[in-house]
Amino acid sequence: MRGFHSKLDASLGMAVPLNLAVETEKAQALLQTFSTASLLASAGLGVFCFLADHILTSPFIQHHVWLRAVLDNSVHGVIGLWSWAIVIGLRKKSDFYEVVLAGFLASIIDLDHFYMAGSLSLKAALNLPQRPPLHCSTVIPALCFSLRLLMWACRLKDSWCSLPWMLFISLASHHIRDGVRHGLWLCPFGNTAPISYWLYITITATLPHLCSVLMYLTGTRDMISTKHGVAIDV
């Protein structure tokens, strides 16, 4: 019995420090969401949005429709990749691939304009009778949840666990920026009033932190901590 108790005490003694280490790691990962570097990166994102939007209003760009469309779509992409970089940090080569994918997702959804128009004509794509399907904001949670279910059904590795959140931040950042002009389309309830410009800047800059907190609450942050390292920031 004495030997048994000794082994039990030893195992409990090892379990307590291990649990403490896990909880400490989780707490550090959450704190890094609001680290100085991460907050500065968010401020930089807000400044970028302001400057990019100001440049896009220049008469030269406004006069050339294709140039305006390409640059506007590129800004969507940069906001998406910048936002995801704040969430995961840039610590190794694979992180760069992730942020590029986030930027790609944030910009490619504008292709639904051409799908809705049934033509490659930019004029037709910009003058649609109604907004295209991927610009419906209620589609975002449906797509993210569907992707999560698909990943679960296919038994994908934990390294893919952040993909639904990447999709969320890419689409949400795009919709919020478009909302300045058109409001948010919350099908089947209709459209909201246009988002005020400074509210758009504020939401865009804080969205990565909101995403990080939600990922922490759902346990996704723990998996990313293992994948990217404990200190997750830019």
Side-chain angles (χ1 to χ4, degrees), residues 30 211-221:
L30 183 61
C211 184
S212 292
V213 171
L214 291 174
M215 290 168 69
Y216 175 81
L217 294 175
T218 58
T220 309
R221 184 55 117 173

Side-chain angles (χ1 to χ4, degrees), residues 49-68:
C49 291
F50 176 77
L51 293 177
D53 293 336
H54 180 72
I55 292 172
L56 286 172
T57 60
S58 69
F60 177 78
I61 294 176
Q62 291 294 315
H63 183 70
H64 296 82
V65 181
W66 269 103
L67 177 62
R68 183 184 65 192

Side-chain angles (χ1 to χ4, degrees), residues 130-193:
Q130 62 186 41
R131 295 168 80 171
L134 290 180
H135 285 70
C136 173
S137 297
T138 45
V139 166
I140 297 177
L143 285 176
C144 295
F145 185 68
S146 298
L147 179 58
R148 184 67 187 91
L149 286 179
L150 179 62
M151 292 169 57
W152 174 80
C154 296
R155 300 179 183 277
L156 294 180
K157 297 178 180 179
D158 287 345
S159 57
W160 293 88
C161 66
S162 61
L163 193 56
W165 292 103
M166 180 196 299
L167 181 63
F168 165 76
I169 207 166
S170 297
L171 298 184
S173 63
H174 188 118
H175 284 215
I176 291 165
R177 184 165 179 262
D178 281 353
V180 174
R181 290 169 289 183
H182 311 294
L184 298 177
W185 178 25
L186 302 175
C187 181
F189 307 107
N191 296 299
T192 69

Side-chain angles (χ1 to χ4, degrees), residues 25-38:
E25 180 176 328
K26 289 165 65 177
Q28 288 178 341
L30 183 61
L31 287 173
Q32 287 297 330
T33 301
F34 301 99
S35 67
T36 301
S38 185

